[in-house]
Amino acid sequence: MIIDFRSDTVTKPSPAMLDTMMKAKVGDDVFGEDTSINELEHLAAGMFGMEAALFCPSGTMTNQIAIKCHTQPGDEVICDESSHVYQYEGGGIAFNSGASVKLLYGDRGRITAEQILAAIQPDDPHRAHSSLVSLENTSNRGGGSCYEFSEILKIQSLCKEKNLAFHLDGARLWNALVAKKESPKQYGEAFDSISICLSKSLGCPVGSLLLGKKDFIKKARRIRKVFGGGMRQAGFIAAAGIYALHNNINRLSEDHLHAALIADAISKKDFIKMMLPVETNIIIFELTNTISAPQLVAKLKEYDILGYAISPVRVRLVTHLDISKEMIQKTIEVFNQL
Ligand SMILES: *Cc1c(COP(=O)(O)O)cnc(C)c1O
């Protein structure tokens, strides 16, 4: 039994999900004729109370399309230093949009309205034009930390006042919604655009959605085509998304419980110097100088437990749909022996 905590992307479609996929009604989506994709886009937009949605192969693509839609070359995007849009999308903000980035140093990936206000460029030809604020909820490098919704509302009104677009990288927004008992509609009202992943915590093999107003999604559809992301009978994978939205959201509390159980059991180990607060399904801890992160990951692998060294001293474990209670127990036993 391999216990794979490297990421919540490692899940395989369940038999029930596969069954739904095999029975999907499909068509050519470039002609707008794939009924499963249309249904998924309609379902997701409805959940968030947003006008429209666009199905894409990845969260990188939905983020990059959103940034392209919201900016002009030479503009500046305001985001946290650890953001996926900045760190892990291949320099896409510069490559795809010709925009620069204003990095803020937030608290576990979360930035405040106050920090953003101070980062907005003055109206001066020497300066880049601030045009977009991008948040990440939950924050991956922040250890699955969640925003307080009151802060999001403050940032929303600042963006309105200063005429900035407001984007959410919600790759793991579902985890935040479940952990904070929030509703998708709150988020739909707050942001101009939201990217959500189906292939992270929800257990789909592929797929992300970009949500926004009708005009915005119309423009996004054009940019998806330019980025090479127009798909044909992709309803087979959209059907997995429909299944996941109906079946795999509420169960995320189980993943959060599993993460908390591990965190509780291992945080006192003498080789762990510091652990980020565990709010959702991500555990990030820093090691003392007795063992490096790659060494600990190698040690765990001897017991068929897979983790991820996110830096020379930090290890990340992520719980997900394919991690059972038994696997959590075995992991705790192994840590107790180390
Ligand atoms: C995984 C992830 C994405 C999207 O990644 P893809 O692998 O392109 O789907 C975006 N943002 C965050 C925070 C992520 O963790």
Side-chain angles (χ1 to χ4, degrees):
M1 175 173 75
I2 303 280
I3 308 178
D4 196 344
F5 291 112
R6 286 173 304 166
S7 176
D8 44 6
T9 55
V10 300
T11 54
K12 308 235 168 77
S14 65
M17 181 182 274
L18 277 174
D19 192 48
T20 309
M21 292 169 72
M22 294 310 286
K23 291 178 182 141
K25 294 207 167 60
V26 298
D28 189 335
D29 183 54
V30 175
F31 290 122
E33 289 172 1
D34 189 295
T35 46
S36 297
I37 292 179
N38 294 342
E39 184 186 336
L40 173 65
E41 291 176 346
H42 189 74
L43 172 65
M47 287 171 84
F48 283 82
M50 292 180 98
E51 289 178 6
L54 180 69
F55 185 52
C56 290
S58 73
T60 297
M61 188 180 276
T62 45
N63 280 330
Q64 290 298 321
I65 289 173
I67 292 165
K68 182 76 185 161
C69 285
H70 288 307
T71 61
Q72 293 295 321
D75 283 1
E76 196 158 76
V77 179
I78 299 172
C79 63
D80 183 78
E81 155 280 324
S82 69
S83 305
H84 196 280
V85 292
Y86 173 68
Q87 294 280 2
Y88 306 112
E89 297 185 2
I93 294 177
F95 191 91
N96 298 315
S97 299
S100 64
V101 182
K102 181 80 172 182
L103 297 180
L104 299 179
Y105 292 80
D107 169 34
R108 285 184 283 134
R110 298 162 304 180
I111 55 179
T112 63
E114 200 182 340
Q115 285 178 297
I116 294 165
L117 176 62
I120 297 171
Q121 300 280 18
D123 184 8
D124 173 338
H126 294 86
R127 305 293 196 123
H129 174 238
S130 308
S131 63
L132 170 66
V133 171
S134 179
L135 305 187
E136 185 175 308
N137 198 22
T138 68
S139 162
N140 173 18
R141 293 295 286 225
S145 57
C146 304
Y147 270 88
E148 290 303 330
F149 196 73
S150 55
E151 193 63 40
I152 290 177
L153 290 179
K154 278 190 209 161
I155 300 172
Q156 179 195 17
S157 52
L158 176 65
C159 288
K160 277 222 172 92
E161 186 193 321
K162 302 289 185 186
N163 210 12
L164 302 176
F166 193 26
H167 174 70
L168 176 66
D169 176 357
R172 294 189 182 82
L173 181 60
W174 306 109
N175 296 87
L177 294 178
V178 168
K180 303 288 263 183
K181 301 191 165 49
E182 293 164 341
S183 79
K185 290 213 166 65
Q186 286 172 258
Y187 281 79
E189 279 175 24
F191 289 90
D192 296 314
S193 58
I194 299 179
S195 157
I196 53 170
C197 284
L198 300 164
S199 66
K200 288 265 163 81
S201 38
L202 295 191
C204 296
V206 186
S208 287
L209 286 153
L210 182 61
L211 305 155
K213 287 218 163 29
K214 273 212 177 84
D215 290 358
F216 172 85
I217 293 297
K218 188 176 172 205
K219 189 171 169 191
R221 202 174 284 281
R222 165 176 280 277
I223 291 170
R224 183 184 68 174
K225 181 67 188 170
V226 176
F227 285 0
M231 296 182 285
R232 305 288 182 190
Q233 289 74 17
F236 291 113
I237 50 177
I242 296 168
Y243 179 89
L245 292 181
H246 286 310
N247 296 285
N248 291 349
I249 296 175
N250 290 334
R251 61 152 305 284
L252 290 172
S253 55
E254 216 174 288
D255 298 345
H256 300 171
L257 175 68
H258 286 165
L261 287 172
I262 292 185
D264 251 17
I266 72 173
S267 61
K268 297 275 149 41
K269 296 302 289 186
D270 56 8
F271 55 84
I272 293 182
K273 186 159 103 188
M274 183 278 292
M275 183 180 280
L276 296 183
V278 175
E279 296 184 33
T280 51
N281 67 328
I282 299 178
I283 303 160
I284 291 180
F285 54 85
E286 195 161 310
L287 299 164
T288 60
N289 59 15
T290 55
I291 188 166
S292 73
Q295 281 168 337
L296 180 68
V297 166
K299 187 91 205 141
L300 290 170
K301 200 170 175 197
E302 290 170 20
Y303 298 91
D304 288 340
I305 295 171
L306 308 183
Y308 190 38
I310 59 168
S311 86
V313 292
R314 283 194 176 194
V315 173
R316 186 186 76 170
L317 304 175
V318 186
T319 59
H320 51 75
L321 192 58
D322 291 353
I323 295 284
S324 65
K325 188 91 201 285
E326 293 69 46
M327 292 176 178
I328 296 296
Q329 272 154 1
K330 182 182 164 197
T331 303
I332 291 172
E333 280 161 26
V334 167
F335 265 92
N336 282 337
Q337 290 168 37
L338 293 178

